[in-house]
Amino acid sequence: MKAAFPLILLAALPLPLLAANPKPEIERPAAGAQANAALHTVRQIPEACTRIEGRFTGQASAPYDMQLVRTSEQCQPRAMFLDFAKVNPSEANGWKLNEVVRIPSTACSSQQALVEVWRKPAGQQVALDGQGQNRVYLEDAKAQAAAGRLAALPAYSAKLSVQGSCH
């Protein structure tokens, strides 16, 4: 009987409230607490050849700093990383909340950085080989490019927010 009670409460919530908080595709526990000025990797996105790095600054005006770093000069991206403010990701626009990364601060236990990573699929089904991998062969890609049939690339975007404050 106890299990039915939360379901009743969930059913009683208005639909817009449920849609406002989409469930992320990837759910992980909060990251390890980070000290001020300690540079750390928030998330890697190999498809976009991008690593999100961050650090707590210890400053009240901008408590957390986040930046995008290219993983390697030789990496050939199979996805784009777009500016959150320009694309304004939402499920209504075809984006999916991929993950919410929580990074607590060691200097201030009531403060944590939240990084929302959004993903927009390319819109087409990708053919996987027998090993379950998406492989791109040079000759096939050249033929597609010559015919003007290049596939759309998936896209990623990230938004930073900070919860709590240090006094």
Side-chain angles (χ1 to χ4, degrees), residues 28-100:
R28 297 179 210 189
Q34 297 293 321
N36 285 345
L39 189 63
H40 55 271
T41 297
V42 174
R43 165 89 189 264
Q44 289 202 80
I45 303 173
E47 304 92 273
C49 302
T50 302
R51 179 176 64 249
I52 303 171
E53 289 184 344
R55 65 179 178 88
F56 283 97
T57 64
Q59 301 171 358
S61 61
Y64 193 83
D65 178 45
M66 180 179 84
Q67 57 191 345
L68 303 177
V69 178
R70 185 166 172 98
T71 55
S72 166
E73 290 300 319
Q74 291 79 26
C75 183
Q76 296 296 315
R78 299 178 312 270
M80 300 177 292
F81 205 98
L82 304 174
D83 182 4
F84 190 89
K86 290 181 181 176
V87 295
N88 196 20
S90 70
E91 287 189 328
N93 296 339
W95 290 79
K96 296 179 183 291
L97 180 59
N98 187 249
E99 182 177 12
V100 177

Side-chain angles (χ1 to χ4, degrees), residues 60 107-111 164-167:
C108 183
S109 61
S110 65
Q111 191 172 58
S165 62
C166 281
H167 296 99

